[in-house]
Amino acid sequence: KQEVTQIPAALSVPEGENLVLNCSFTDSAIYNLQWFRQDPGKGLTSLLLIQSSQREQTSGRLNASLDKSSGRSTLYIAASQPGDSATYLCAVTSGSRLTFGEGTQLTVNP
Amino acid sequence: GAGVSQSPSNKVTEKGKDVELRCDPISGHTALYWYRQSLGQGLEFLIYFQGNSAPDKSGLPSDRFSAERTGGSVSTLTIQRTQQEDSAVYLCASSAQGIVINYGYTFGSGTRLTVV
């Protein structure tokens, strides 16, 4: 059974800092890994999708890496802004199911 | 449409009543998923459709829950005799599932169900 773990569970940083969110998964037989953002009371917004054959993806200030053999992914956020405050979820696709981590709650203080 | 659409966005119902939640996936997306997120909890898988078939419905919590998909498009999640523990946000996602590759998931904004 696939299990996804995210560290840390919560993170508070001052505006402008670069930060890294971590995700690990137990079964390396995945199709892809996806990072989502969830604002309070809202649905999920897809940030980055990394296929199993890829090592990283970038979008603006976001960079996600994937090391499938070790079962790890990181989401790097550069020059953080208060608008980045949200819960960040990592999810892996294996078989027919998307398995989520518990998320990292990020607060960026002005 | 441009995104995954769910209706209603909010639903308050009395305990014991039946409710229907609707999901309109992105046109052409063959895979459709339902998830549930209870207050302060992670996302819980409910059911997966490929076309109109549900090869994985192992996440449905009880026989009060059922779902169908018609025309390879719209899906309806039905909860019968609702209980207070059914209160949660119900999220639908769709994906353009290829033969050997998955193109990622797009989620709707969810239906917030409150059972009183």
Side-chain angles (χ1 to χ4, degrees):
Chain A
K1 178 188 171 186
Q2 179 75 269
E3 293 182 359
V4 181
T5 303
Q6 291 188 244
I7 295 173
L11 182 63
S12 181
V13 300
E15 181 176 4
E17 268 204 12
N18 303 324
L19 57 100
V20 175
L21 308 182
N22 296 290
C23 172
S24 62
F25 47 94
T26 55
D27 184 352
S28 62
I30 64 170
Y31 290 132
N32 58 42
L33 183 145
Q34 199 163 356
W35 283 93
F36 293 90
R37 167 186 174 139
Q38 186 173 33
D39 293 280
K42 304 290 186 183
L44 276 68
T45 300
S46 178
L47 298 174
L48 290 165
L49 169 69
I50 311 177
Q51 300 293 348
S52 61
S53 59
Q54 297 175 323
R55 299 282 296 187
E56 67 175 337
Q57 283 288 326
T58 298
S59 176
R61 295 182 293 109
L62 305 179
N63 176 277
S65 68
L66 173 64
D67 184 341
K68 202 174 84 159
S69 61
S70 67
R72 295 175 191 270
S73 175
T74 61
L75 178 66
Y76 175 82
I77 303 176
S80 58
Q81 302 171 357
D84 295 331
S85 298
T87 296
Y88 290 79
L89 294 160
C90 165
V92 297
T93 303
S94 47
S96 61
R97 190 174 293 201
L98 188 63
T99 303
F100 283 87
E102 294 293 317
T104 293
Q105 186 172 357
L106 173 66
T107 303
V108 181
N109 301 300
Chain B
V4 177
S5 178
Q6 291 189 247
S7 60
S9 56
N10 279 285
K11 177 72 176 178
V12 180
T13 190
E14 292 182 353
K15 179 181 173 181
K17 299 284 190 184
D18 298 351
V19 294
E20 281 190 357
L21 312 180
R22 177 186 169 104
C23 173
D24 278 278
I26 292 174
S27 178
H29 278 194
T30 58
L32 185 147
Y33 301 76
W34 284 97
Y35 283 81
R36 175 169 79 171
Q37 188 173 35
S38 302
L39 187 63
Q41 303 295 311
L43 279 89
E44 175 188 6
F45 168 80
L46 297 178
I47 188 169
Y48 156 62
F49 287 94
Q50 183 61 246
N52 292 335
S53 301
D56 188 352
K57 52 179 109 173
S58 61
L60 294 177
S62 75
D63 59 7
R64 295 187 295 105
F65 288 72
S66 63
E68 66 174 10
R69 189 179 185 195
T70 55
S73 180
V74 173
S75 177
T76 302
L77 176 68
T78 301
I79 308 173
Q80 296 178 310
R81 305 181 302 282
T82 51
Q83 304 295 313
Q84 288 185 328
E85 62 262 29
D86 299 334
S87 296
V89 176
Y90 290 80
L91 291 162
C92 174
S94 70
S95 174
Q97 180 81 34
I99 296 174
V100 294
I101 193 169
N102 176 282
Y103 297 97
Y105 298 80
T106 302
F107 277 80
S109 298
T111 293
R112 181 176 297 278
L113 175 66
T114 304
V115 182
V116 297

